[in-house]
Amino acid sequence: MGNRLSKIATRTGDNGTTGLGDGSRTGKDSARVHAMGDVDELNSQIGVLLCEPMPDDLHAELVAIQHDLFDLGGELCIPGYQLIKEEHVERLDALLEKYNATLPALTEFILPAGSRAASLAHVCRTVCRRAERAIVTLGNQETIHDHPRQYVNRLSDLMFVLARVLNRFAGGGDVLWNHERKRGG
């Protein structure tokens, strides 16, 4: 690794381009850079979520996901490179199964609300969905591996489940959408 980050302000991007991990340059508005940025934002949002009280095992699992997301950003930064593999997706599947098994079945839609931690998990979910759309867009323009798309798809589902878990951890429950409420008019 050496001193890769010894100089942060290089000024090489002043012309609207950025360097990729393979040494090539691309526009800061390219689909690849959008996908990288959305994954980075998701990782940052999970960092905010980690500031909230939660079970220790969940905290550790989210930190592991942050490392995966950093790897995912690296994969997106180097065209043709692969860091996210099937075992990463399978780990999320196992977490989905683990946490979903602790929850009652849903009979109504829920609102992205409740405890602060649950609400932050919902923000992570929506940013994750945006990252997924950006990765799909990139995949429609360039050849990329399937696992990054699959990973963020599972992760958004997991963030929904974790929001429900975090509401229960805080002593609450799901905030249900009231489809029969009176609408102003």
Side-chain angles (χ1 to χ4, degrees):
M1 287 282 199
N3 291 325
R4 291 179 47 195
L5 300 177
S6 60
K7 187 174 182 184
I8 300 300
T10 63
R11 295 175 177 70
T12 58
D14 288 351
N15 67 353
T17 65
T18 191
L20 297 178
D22 64 355
S24 66
R25 296 197 68 77
T26 191
K28 290 185 177 186
D29 61 348
S30 72
R32 184 170 297 277
V33 174
H34 277 283
M36 289 165 32
D38 288 344
V39 169
D40 186 34
E41 182 182 350
L42 171 59
N43 208 344
S44 297
Q45 289 288 355
I46 291 174
V48 174
L49 173 58
L50 284 167
C51 295
E52 297 296 316
M54 66 182 64
D56 290 341
D57 59 336
L58 176 53
H59 189 278
E61 290 157 351
L62 286 172
V63 169
I65 287 168
Q66 281 196 300
H67 286 275
D68 289 350
L69 289 172
F70 201 87
D71 289 343
L72 175 54
E75 180 170 332
L76 293 172
C77 183
I78 305 171
Y81 195 61
Q82 184 176 23
L83 287 169
I84 300 299
K85 300 185 174 154
E86 186 173 348
E87 56 263 23
H88 294 93
V89 177
E90 289 171 351
R91 187 166 37 83
L92 292 183
D93 283 333
L95 290 174
L96 270 164
E97 188 174 322
K98 170 186 171 181
Y99 286 109
N100 211 24
T102 69
L103 299 170
L106 281 174
T107 57
E108 290 287 345
F109 289 107
I110 66 170
L111 297 178
S115 70
R116 179 175 168 81
S119 297
L120 289 170
H122 279 294
V123 171
C124 292
R125 173 185 57 80
T126 62
V127 173
C128 192
R129 285 291 184 204
R130 181 167 18 100
E132 180 183 12
R133 291 189 300 272
I135 291 169
V136 167
T137 298
L138 175 60
N140 288 335
Q141 296 175 10
E142 300 181 38
T143 301
I144 62 171
H145 298 283
D146 290 335
H147 295 113
R149 185 187 65 253
Q150 295 165 353
Y151 186 89
V152 292
N153 181 270
R154 295 305 191 294
L155 182 54
S156 63
D157 292 341
L158 179 61
M159 295 312 300
F160 177 84
V161 168
L162 293 181
R164 297 184 68 207
V165 168
L166 289 166
N167 267 337
R168 280 156 183 74
F169 179 76
D174 298 319
V175 179
L176 301 178
W177 170 59
N178 181 357
H179 67 281
E180 294 178 3
R181 73 190 184 291
K182 291 192 180 225
R183 290 171 174 80

